[in-house]
Amino acid sequence: MADIQNLESLQTPGAVFFIFGATGDLARRKLFPAIYSLYREGKLAEDFAVIGVARRPRTPEEFRDDVHRSIQEFCRYKVEDTAHWTRFAEHFSYKSLDINNIDGYVELRELTESVESRFGIPGNRMFYLALAPELFGSVSFNLQKGGMLSSGGWHRLVIEKPFGYDLLSAQKLNEELNQVFKEEEIYRIDHYLGKEMVQNIEVIRFANAFFEPLWNNKHISNIQITLSETVGVEERGGYYDHSGALRDMGQNHMLQMLTMIAMEPPSRLYPEDIRDEKVKVLRSLRPYATPLEVKENVVRGQYTEGESMGKHLPGYRQEDKVDPNSNTETYFAAKVFVDNFRWAGVPFYIRTGKRLPVKTTEVVVEFKQMPTNVYLGQKHTLEPNLLVIRVNPMEGIYIKINAKKPGSESAIEPLAMEFCQSCQVGINSPEAYERLIYDAANGDSTYFTRWDEVATAWAFVDRIAAAWAQNPGDISTYPAGSWGPEEAAELLAKDGFHWWPVNGQEEDNVIWISRG
Ligand SMILES: NC(=O)C1=CN([C@@H]2O[C@H](COP(=O)(O)OP(=O)(O)OC[C@H]3O[C@@H](n4cnc5c(N)ncnc54)[C@H](OP(=O)(O)O)[C@@H]3O)[C@@H](O)[C@H]2O)C=CC1
Ligand SMILES: O=C1O[C@H](COP(=O)(O)O)[C@@H](O)[C@H](O)[C@H]1O
């Protein structure tokens, strides 16, 4: 394993990065731009190579043109210097190959060995599978059979979500992968774990003496996690209609964020120590015992036609490649409990959905009210204190406190003290995929999901999915461009809470003090 204490100063070790699915959407929008950003920042050593693999024929020049276009469109750095571009692009090769056909792997091995000898790469190979999950098993088996795993260096498999459709299919997939790769060689991507502010949750919690003593059920009344999107299903209707919001966002990104908020401090910052703490949280999630409990605690919804920013939006059932009678949820909200000493009795409210009014990822930690309100006589109700962690698109944190209105005798007003990281750091903030590719190349698995995390998350989610499957038509609707079904507000109202506004849509009465 790399010396993870010194990662910030490391260049990646010499390696070949294989991108299986190199003609696909993920490679174009995320992977090529991430590799280019790492190169621009000097984080990739010169002894690297990228081999793109997919069925479509491409000459090396055509492939490099694809990469160039993707960078110009999606990367935070643009290509400006031709000589610099040529030096970067010469590291890229392409192999047209049907993953299921073993014959092509002989040529792939020959190409790999010639590239390794040209750039002096010591046999380290990282296989990034930007492919449909049905192909994961076949490709890993054929990599072994085709002699791609017998070079002298390390071999790592990076795989995209979804990791299975439920616990059973995930177990089957994992068994297939384990026939070829050891657990420590498998890097399961959850790109939310690569986001700056998701990683910052750990620092905010474990590097600030005034949060940790309050971070428990004695002082926190509830926690809200929102992952809202304005987009619909775009071109991914075929995949999404089979998946739905619970599997697409809930099983992975939402529960991973919850673990970062709820985990105990690890004794050391080694990957396995952190992952041990995260899996303990997942094991402590209170399972819904009956379909009735699911109904009472989990809201599901599907968007109908609506409007956003003056634009008419179609309903989900009218989207491309979606069944016109589909009951797939495009929204869910849930009340979740973490049954351990720290969190007993504190509800975690989580929600995600497509076609909501704003794109945002935010965590709101709401603190308990003061034991008594000494200002009640002066007719002041006190707002609860909040800590808000903004993950996306705004990055930063703010705390909301009550303060005396300057100049008045007794008026109290809520005051938000904000650090806006995205305002300060802006364009230099690394994209999630940059960080994750960099970490995988350096052998740091901290921000990848371990098998027991994936399995435990599926076990929790499967109960919800099974209850829904008993009554598929029992789904609420919400107009596209709204905040989801009304039942989601009732979920909190029953407990005396409400969803706090997100993404800068704060209440008018708050005074802002910002740095950034
Ligand atoms: N796109 C995104 O934003 C995200 C995607 N993901 C996941 O990433 C993975 C890839 O997604 P995405 O890029 O959108 O998918 P695409 O459908 O756009 O791309 C799939 C790629 O797989 C290649 N491919 C398909 N079958 C074969 C085969 N038999 N042999 C060789 N290559 C093959 C295709 O190339 P060709 O047709 O030339 O063979 C293409 O390059 C999926 O698991 C998805 O769930 C996860 C999060 C976000
Ligand atoms: O994994 C996924 O994430 C995206 C949202 O990611 P973000 O980084 O833009 O917040 C979501 O649109 C997609 O459906 C899902 O598969």
Side-chain angles (χ1 to χ4, degrees), residues 19-31 53-58 94-101 105 128-136 138-139 159-163 189 191 235-236 239 248 253 433:
I19 299 188
F20 285 82
T23 54
D25 180 69
L26 184 71
R28 191 170 64 89
R29 285 194 308 111
K30 299 289 183 189
L31 306 184
V53 180
R55 284 170 306 189
R56 267 165 267 183
R58 291 275 188 279
Y94 182 82
K95 176 77 192 100
S96 164
L97 149 80
D98 185 330
I99 272 154
N100 298 311
N101 180 1
Y105 289 76
Y128 196 120
L129 307 191
L131 296 166
E134 303 83 78
L135 297 169
F136 292 171
S138 165
V139 73
I159 42 181
E160 269 297 339
K161 62 171 274 265
F163 197 90
I189 291 255
H191 78 276
E235 306 83 37
R236 297 171 73 216
Y239 150 76
D248 185 49
H253 310 321
Y433 279 91

Side-chain angles (χ1 to χ4, degrees), residues 317-332:
R317 292 181 182 184
Q318 285 87 55
E319 299 277 18
D320 193 25
K321 300 198 196 106
V322 167
D323 176 353
N325 299 311
S326 172
N327 287 315
T328 298
E329 80 289 353
T330 57
Y331 176 100
F332 86 93

Side-chain angles (χ1 to χ4, degrees), residues 3-283:
D3 176 2
I4 57 163
Q5 303 298 334
N6 288 318
L7 268 190
E8 297 304 332
S9 59
L10 275 186
Q11 278 194 326
T12 56
V16 182
F17 303 124
F18 296 85
I19 299 188
F20 285 82
T23 54
D25 180 69
L26 184 71
R28 191 170 64 89
R29 285 194 308 111
K30 299 289 183 189
L31 306 184
F32 300 143
I35 293 171
Y36 186 63
S37 295
L38 290 172
Y39 187 73
R40 280 285 290 260
E41 297 196 339
K43 290 181 175 163
L44 277 190
E46 279 297 327
D47 54 348
F48 82 98
V50 175
I51 300 183
V53 180
R55 284 170 306 189
R56 267 165 267 183
R58 291 275 188 279
T59 63
E61 291 70 31
E62 285 168 342
F63 180 52
R64 288 168 195 159
D65 287 346
D66 288 348
V67 175
H68 188 275
R69 268 193 298 278
S70 113
I71 289 164
Q72 296 305 67
E73 193 172 355
F74 297 108
C75 186
R76 66 195 172 96
Y77 294 110
K78 304 295 168 210
V79 175
E80 283 140 8
D81 174 344
T82 315
H84 185 264
W85 165 254
T86 308
R87 269 203 312 284
F88 173 73
E90 68 186 12
H91 293 262
F92 281 69
S93 319
Y94 182 82
K95 176 77 192 100
S96 164
L97 149 80
D98 185 330
I99 272 154
N100 298 311
N101 180 1
I102 186 67
D103 297 341
Y105 289 76
V106 176
E107 284 172 28
L108 181 63
R109 202 180 68 212
E110 286 164 5
L111 173 64
T112 307
E113 284 166 359
S114 90
V115 158
E116 284 173 342
S117 111
R118 179 164 164 222
F119 292 104
I121 299 170
N124 297 328
R125 297 176 182 176
M126 186 164 114
F127 304 99
Y128 196 120
L129 307 191
L131 296 166
E134 303 83 78
L135 297 169
F136 292 171
S138 165
V139 73
S140 40
F141 183 66
N142 282 340
L143 282 172
Q144 186 177 55
K145 206 166 159 205
M148 292 292 295
L149 305 181
S150 47
S151 60
W154 48 252
H155 304 114
R156 292 183 189 138
L157 186 72
V158 183
I159 42 181
E160 269 297 339
K161 62 171 274 265
F163 197 90
Y165 176 77
D166 52 16
L167 178 57
L168 208 63
S169 57
Q171 274 166 336
K172 187 166 168 292
L173 171 58
N174 203 47
E175 278 159 21
E176 279 175 15
L177 298 181
N178 282 159
Q179 286 176 21
V180 179
F181 291 95
K182 298 194 216 70
E183 171 64 24
E184 58 271 25
E185 294 174 320
I186 302 174
Y187 290 71
R188 296 179 194 82
I189 291 255
D190 183 312
H191 78 276
Y192 269 63
L193 292 179
K195 290 182 190 266
E196 265 303 295
M197 286 306 296
V198 173
Q199 298 187 356
N200 211 351
I201 292 173
E202 189 186 295
V203 182
I204 291 164
R205 288 191 53 200
F206 304 143
N208 290 298
F210 54 71
F211 288 134
E212 185 48 30
L214 304 181
W215 209 258
N216 55 52
N217 53 8
K218 292 188 189 62
H219 301 284
I220 290 175
S221 67
N222 74 93
I223 292 181
Q224 303 177 10
I225 305 178
T226 299
L227 273 63
S228 65
E229 297 190 87
T230 49
V231 290
V233 290
E234 315 296 290
E235 306 83 37
R236 297 171 73 216
Y239 150 76
Y240 194 88
D241 205 30
H242 184 60
S243 163
L246 179 67
R247 292 185 171 90
D248 185 49
M249 300 288 276
Q251 185 272 345
N252 36 71
H253 310 321
M254 297 214 76
L255 290 184
Q256 282 296 320
M257 283 187 60
L258 191 151
T259 62
M260 299 292 281
I261 295 286
M263 72 178 182
E264 294 300 314
S267 51
R268 301 169 312 169
L269 281 185
Y270 282 104
E272 297 317 321
D273 297 305
I274 295 176
R275 292 154 117 200
D276 286 347
E277 295 306 336
K278 284 168 62 200
V279 80
K280 281 188 214 160
V281 174
L282 293 167
R283 289 194 196 120

